[in-house]
Structure formats: structure tokens, C-alpha cells
């Protein structure tokens, strides 16, 4: 698939976080880096989806998925509540977002079921794994043998996102390696305190960090494009060939979905 085959501009939904402003008022928020990743990298039109999952049933989720041609799950300062994977109590300093959990976890399952393209980044890959029955390390740097995947918070945020911190090794013959034209390993940035522990049902490992931390996954036998990434390629979408290929592949899948939706349904005679 290429952009020339499917030139339509796909609508790509980005679920928001539900945070509080300085006055204590709730707001729905998405970092501009993901918005620009959709525009500059995937060639799509971003649509922000509010974190209102507690008010949505399956019919409402389907209305969203009828309207959009792909879903991008963003990173966030918050973590998936461990109650969703029997992970015990979260520490007091672990920021949570129950409204986002209530939105993204059922949305992920329905997105995959319907074959709508899905790209999941940072918190997104963790949500993807939990939605499919997997578990997380709540503090991966405390696991014996693991390195600290958090960034140095004394440095400016832009530098922390743009710096490539370590290599990851791609699974031979995997979906990610195919997208990245046969690459064996690549350099990535790293800004996460949590990571996948036990992969969920059908979750396939696509890349590992040198310490064994899972850095990318796909979903076996998914009817559409599904890819989860633990790092942040949206920060390098214009200047890094691997990031460009990742967003381009996602955008191509979304354009193909536009094309498929436009095809007439053939009824059995």
C-alpha cells in the first residue's frame, strides 16, 4: 500500500487524557506532538476523542469507529490503574486517569475486533496489553536486571524526547521489521517508568530492549493493522527514517480502511 494508491485523507481518532487545570477544572488533553504526528507522518486529519468512557456503551464506541479511519493511542503522564490487571495497589506518586482507562480499554478491544487500524504509543502499548488480558511492571527500573527507562527530569522536556537513548532489537520476520525494511536494530528514545510484564492474549513481541524490556508488540490474527510502541517516534517523524516509515505505514493502513469502507457491500444471491 502507498499514499498514491489510497489518496484520501483519513480521520484518525486520538483519545484524550482527562486532567485538571490550575483551577481544578477537568479538561480533555492531547499533546500536540501526536496531532502533528498524524498530520505530518500519517497524512491524516486528527480528531480528538474525549475521555468519557464511563458514559459510553458499545453502540457509542461503534459510532466513533464508524466515523474514524484509525485510532492513535498517545502517551501520558498517567498510568493504567493496576486494578485492571490485578496488579495490586498503585503507589501514591503514580498518576492515574480512570476516565481514560474507561474509554481506551473497551475502545481498543472494539477497534481490533472491527479491523480499524491502531497505533499505540507509550501508555498506549500498555493499554493495548492490558485490554487484551496482559499485565504490567509498575516500576520496571526496580525489576532485577532492568535498566532505568525513565528520562532525566533535570533536563528540558524537548531534549528528553528527542534524545535517542538505547537500541532495540527487532523480532526476525516480524511485522515491525517488515515496516522498517528488514532492520535488525534501531535507536529509540525512552521516557517510561512502566512496561509490559506478561503479554496479553494474542500479543506478539516485535522488539526488545537490551535488558529484555518489551519495546514493541503486534496482535496475532488481528483483522487490521495493530502495532504498539513503547518509545516516542512522533518526536522524530520528520527527521528519522524509522519514525517516518512507522507513521507512513499507519497512514497507509488508515487510507486503505477509507477505501474499504467506500467499497459497495456485495450481497449473497
Amino acid at each position: 500500500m502507498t499514499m498514491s494508491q489510497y489518496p484520501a485523507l483519513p480521520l484518525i481518532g486520538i483519545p484524550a487524557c482527562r486532567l485538571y487545570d490550575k483551577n481544578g477544572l477537568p479538561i480533555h488533553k492531547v499533546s500536540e506532538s501526536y496531532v502533528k504526528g498524524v498530520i505530518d507522518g500519517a497524512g491524516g486529519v486528527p480528531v480528538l476523542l474525549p475521555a468519557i468512557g464511563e458514559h459510553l456503551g458499545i453502540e457509542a464506541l461503534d459510532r466513533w469507529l464508524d466515523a474514524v479511519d484509525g485510532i492513535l493511542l498517545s502517551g501520558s503522564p498517567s498510568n493504567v490503574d493496576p486494578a485492571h490487571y490485578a496488579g495490586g495497589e498503585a503507589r501514591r506518586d503514580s498518576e492515574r486517569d480512570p476516565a481514560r482507562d474507561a474509554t481506551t480499554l473497551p475502545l481498543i478491544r472494539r477497534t481490533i475486533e472491527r479491523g480499524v487500524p491502531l497505533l499505540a504509543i507509550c501508555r498506549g502499548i500498555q493499554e493495548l496489553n492490558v485490554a487484551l488480558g496482559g499485565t504490567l511492571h509498575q516500576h520496571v527500573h526496580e525489576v532485577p536486571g532492568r535498566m532505568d527507562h525513565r528520562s532525566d527530569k533535570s533536563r528540558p522536556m524537548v531534549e528528553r524526547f528527542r534524545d535517542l537513548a538505547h537500541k532495540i532489537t527487532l523480532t526476525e520476520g516480524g511485522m515491525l521489521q517488515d515496516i522498517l525494511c528488514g532492520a535488525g536494530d534501531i535507536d529509540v528514545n525512552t521516557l517510561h517508568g512502566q512496561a509490559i510484564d506478561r503479554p496479553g492474549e494474542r500479543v506478539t513481541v516485535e522488539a526488545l530492549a537490551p535488558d529484555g524490556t518489551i519495546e514493541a508488540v503486534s496482535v496475532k490474527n488481528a483483522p487490521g493493522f495493530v502495532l504498539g510502541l513503547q518509545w516516542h517516534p512522533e518526536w522524530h517523524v520528520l527527521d528519522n527514517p524509522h519514525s517516518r516509515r512507522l507513521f507512513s505505514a499507519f497512514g497507509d493502513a488508515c487510507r486503505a480502511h477509507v477505501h474499504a469502507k467506500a467499497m459497495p457491500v456485495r450481497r449473497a444471491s
Side-chain angles (χ1 to χ4, degrees):
M1 292 181 293
T2 65
M3 285 191 186
S4 59
Q5 284 179 278
Y6 304 117
L9 286 173
L11 293 177
I12 298 176
I14 310 176
C17 298
R18 188 173 184 270
L19 307 174
Y20 293 88
D21 67 13
K22 62 182 181 181
N23 297 311
L25 299 174
I27 59 173
H28 297 262
K29 179 180 176 181
V30 170
S31 171
E32 189 178 61
S33 61
Y34 301 101
V35 171
K36 291 185 67 64
V38 165
I39 297 169
D40 297 332
V45 178
V47 179
L48 306 191
L49 307 178
I52 53 174
E54 67 271 25
H55 305 296
L56 300 180
I58 192 69
E59 183 179 355
L61 294 177
D62 278 336
R63 290 287 290 132
W64 270 355
L65 294 173
D66 288 341
V68 303
D69 309 299
I71 294 289
L72 172 65
L73 297 173
S74 71
S76 172
S78 69
N79 297 307
V80 179
D81 193 315
H84 291 292
Y85 54 91
E89 289 292 323
R91 292 183 186 172
R92 290 181 180 270
D93 62 352
S94 179
E95 187 173 339
R96 285 171 283 176
D97 186 345
R100 173 162 168 163
D101 291 346
T103 305
T104 55
L105 297 180
L107 179 63
I108 288 166
R109 291 186 283 266
R110 194 62 176 158
T111 299
I112 294 171
E113 182 180 344
R114 290 191 45 170
V116 177
L118 174 66
L119 179 62
I121 295 174
C122 197
R123 188 194 209 268
I125 189 178
Q126 296 161 18
E127 291 170 319
L128 171 61
N129 190 57
V130 171
L132 296 180
T135 63
L136 304 177
H137 292 298
Q138 293 189 51
H139 307 279
V140 68
H141 53 283
E142 296 178 0
V143 177
R146 300 295 179 91
M147 61 188 186
D148 193 340
H149 289 260
R150 300 170 299 175
S151 62
D152 180 358
K153 293 186 177 182
S154 68
R155 301 176 61 217
M157 179 65 78
V158 172
E159 290 183 9
R160 290 153 56 193
F161 272 109
R162 293 200 61 82
D163 283 356
L164 300 178
H166 63 76
K167 290 186 179 296
I168 61 170
T169 300
L170 279 56
T171 299
E172 189 70 28
M175 173 184 176
L176 181 59
Q177 188 177 67
D178 182 56
I179 290 171
L180 299 183
C181 302
D185 55 55
I186 64 172
D187 294 300
V188 299
N189 51 16
T190 184
L191 294 97
H192 61 100
Q194 302 203 331
I196 291 175
D197 178 8
R198 176 177 55 78
E201 184 180 359
R202 297 163 55 205
V203 173
T204 300
V205 175
E206 293 283 344
L208 294 172
D211 63 353
T213 297
I214 295 173
E215 291 279 346
V217 299
S218 59
V219 175
K220 184 179 180 181
N221 297 327
F225 178 105
V226 182
L227 186 65
L229 309 173
Q230 186 57 78
W231 71 98
H232 288 270
E234 74 278 4
W235 277 85
H236 300 95
V237 73
L238 292 178
D239 54 30
N240 180 288
H242 299 310
S243 296
R244 286 200 305 271
R245 289 189 182 105
L246 286 167
F247 272 90
S248 179
F250 176 54
D252 286 344
C254 295
R255 276 178 285 279
H257 190 70
V258 176
H259 180 75
K261 288 197 299 185
M263 296 292 288
V265 177
R266 295 184 178 179
R267 299 182 182 278
S269 57

